[in-house]
Amino acid sequence: MTEIGPKDRIEAERAYTAYVSARLPTLRRIAHLLCKDPHRADDVVQTTLTKLYVHWQRARAADDLNRYVHTMLVRCFLNEQRLEWARVRLSGSPHETPGLPPAAGVPDIETRTVVHTALLRVPARQRAVLVLRFLCDLPVAEVAGILGCSEGNVKSQSARGLTRLRAQLGAQLPVYAA
């Protein structure tokens, strides 16, 4: 490993700061969709950004930096879900991530709350696939790359996740199917 000089280190830190400043709202939104808890979402984003800082030189060399960071974020989320304390709920209902404007064309708050609550009951890996595919509008191939699995796995996880989501919504589904 080669040692970088002070000028290169300062430039690398500036690039890191600029990247994080520009991407933070998007990362927080994705994390909030995955976690359904603004505090956990912030924890996942913070863990991701810490790891990104440590591996910034390698990350900058990636073909697609945004995809690289999305992969880190989803993996941090999935790793956190494996921990026992992640099952403890500190709040009763999900809230919007503070400081972020609502997404354009979103349904009303009641609809969002019902769908987000149902999404919370979908297993973490399926939830990650659904969030990346349908809420972040990523193609199957990119989701497969982020999750480190095959495209067929993404498709099957999508199908299973949608089935579980439909089961969670139950009788309310026709109201939200439009």
Side-chain angles (χ1 to χ4, degrees), residues 46-89:
Q46 184 62 45
T47 302
T48 302
L49 295 179
T50 301
K51 289 180 180 184
L52 178 63
Y53 182 79
V54 171
H55 301 290
W56 180 242
Q57 293 296 35
R58 185 180 343 153
R60 282 178 55 176
D63 291 334
D64 185 347
L65 181 57
N66 291 334
R67 182 175 172 188
Y68 186 95
V69 175
H70 286 171
T71 301
M72 291 176 71
L73 179 73
V74 171
R75 287 183 181 164
C76 284
F77 162 71
L78 292 173
N79 287 339
E80 183 202 57
Q81 291 302 110
R82 292 182 188 110
L83 301 174
E84 188 67 32
W85 72 267
R87 295 184 188 106
V88 176
R89 294 284 169 228

Side-chain angles (χ1 to χ4, degrees), residues 84-154:
E84 188 67 32
W85 72 267
R87 295 184 188 106
V88 176
R89 294 284 169 228
L90 299 177
S91 62
S93 64
H95 300 287
E96 285 296 314
T97 304
L100 290 180
V106 296
D108 60 50
I109 291 174
E110 289 178 29
T111 303
R112 242 189 348 233
T113 302
V114 168
V115 172
H116 286 179
T117 301
L119 189 59
L120 182 61
R121 295 182 182 126
V122 173
R125 187 110 176 143
Q126 292 173 4
R127 186 180 336 144
V129 169
L130 293 177
V131 166
L132 293 172
R133 280 284 293 130
F134 302 109
L135 298 177
C136 296
D137 200 28
L138 296 178
V140 172
E142 191 166 340
V143 173
I146 288 172
L147 295 175
C149 63
S150 70
E151 291 182 24
N153 192 339
V154 170

Side-chain angles (χ1 to χ4, degrees), residues 138-174:
L138 296 178
V140 172
E142 191 166 340
V143 173
I146 288 172
L147 295 175
C149 63
S150 70
E151 291 182 24
N153 192 339
V154 170
K155 291 175 186 178
S156 67
Q157 291 289 329
S158 293
R160 289 182 190 124
L162 288 172
T163 299
R164 284 198 175 209
L165 191 59
R166 286 182 184 113
Q168 291 297 324
L169 291 171
Q172 299 171 352
L173 185 61

